[in-house]
Amino acid sequence: MSELPTPAATPAAVVDALKAVAGNPPKVRASFAKGRCVRGTYAPSDRAAEITRSLSFTKPSRVLARFSVGGGNPGMTDTNNLVLRGFSFRLGDDAHRSDILTETAPVHFARTLDQMLAFLEARIPGADGKPDIKKVRAFSAANPETLNQANYVAARRLPGSFAGTTYWGVHSFPATNAKDETRFIKFKVSPVGGDVTLSEDEARAKSADFLHDDLARRIAAGDVRFNVLALLDRPGDPTMDVTLRWPDEDNREQVRLGTIVITRLEANAACDGSIFNPVNLADGIGHPPDEIFAARRTAYTISLAKRR
């Protein structure tokens, strides 16, 4: 069994810890601070309604989205293979809005808010600007599930393009269709052209902002497309623990809900002035039952207030 800290964590404490791990840079996101805002369109598939009655997913709409590099440091290099890449997007209209947050790992790094806070506190830099490695190792040994995300990332090559990367929603979302049938799904966002990765030698030749430069070039060429997929649940899936994948998740039955086409770059202010709030989900996609998702409702609002 994992050893968890006894004090109850709060979303505010987690936001503060995220900022502290990054060195407390002012007026930026607590996580995924470096990014690029874009716009596009969403077109539903003819099977979307089988999974959800949500008008966000069953009707065409404009899309506001943001690609990003993990961590709270806005100067993070795009060649860092130890951090995630993110893709957040907003579908629907004001009356039927859904904000979906995905990243380049299918699991989160903590199961509970207490565990998340302890994970971050173990990594806050000391006076020398570095975390205490002994403290990090001791926490990891006592909480091995917190390594699942890092191990997944470390086993894969560096993403070579925001537009050529698979993104995952780590939560289990209850989806309800027009027949009032509900089942859990996981979101997977897959690049239409397939994944693009780099070898270590190729990565060393890239600039600190190469993902952002590549994105601009691809949008100018007009070919940035993603399929939005729903992975379908099976009985007994671990819907409460975001550090675990569903069994045989890579071979699950999946339904294409629709396709996102990114059509242009957008001023970052269009994304930075508000938040992609994961609790904004139009009827037909419910809130996941896990503790981490519940905490995000408050944490994202706190993070926005801190950067204004």
Side-chain angles (χ1 to χ4, degrees), residues 103-187:
E103 59 190 38
T104 51
V107 291
H108 190 54
F109 62 82
R111 178 166 45 85
T112 67
L113 201 61
D114 281 348
Q115 191 178 56
M116 186 172 177
L117 180 60
F119 176 99
L120 295 168
E121 287 180 336
R123 288 160 173 77
I124 293 174
D128 62 355
K130 300 177 181 179
D132 184 333
I133 297 301
K134 289 183 179 180
K135 184 185 296 186
V136 172
R137 288 174 177 168
F139 177 82
S140 298
N143 298 268
E145 66 272 22
T146 63
L147 296 176
N148 291 346
Q149 184 189 88
N151 290 339
Y152 181 90
V153 173
R156 282 150 182 83
R157 295 181 9 149
L158 181 75
S161 173
F162 280 136
T165 298
T166 298
Y167 301 90
W168 308 80
V170 301
H171 303 281
S172 302
F173 292 80
T176 305
N177 63 19
K179 298 179 181 179
D180 209 32
E181 299 167 333
T182 300
R183 69 183 305 168
F184 282 106
I185 66 169
K186 280 190 174 182
F187 289 109

Side-chain angles (χ1 to χ4, degrees), residues 194-216:
D195 285 356
V196 177
T197 61
L198 303 176
S199 67
E200 291 184 7
D201 287 342
E202 289 171 330
R204 278 192 287 269
K206 295 295 184 180
S207 71
D209 299 317
F210 84 91
L211 288 175
H212 293 72
D213 297 338
D214 172 83
L215 180 65

Side-chain angles (χ1 to χ4, degrees), residues 254-270:
Q254 59 188 29
V255 172
R256 185 174 68 88
L257 299 176
T259 300
I260 291 174
V261 181
I262 303 301
T263 56
R264 64 184 174 93
L265 298 175
E266 180 60 89
N268 281 333

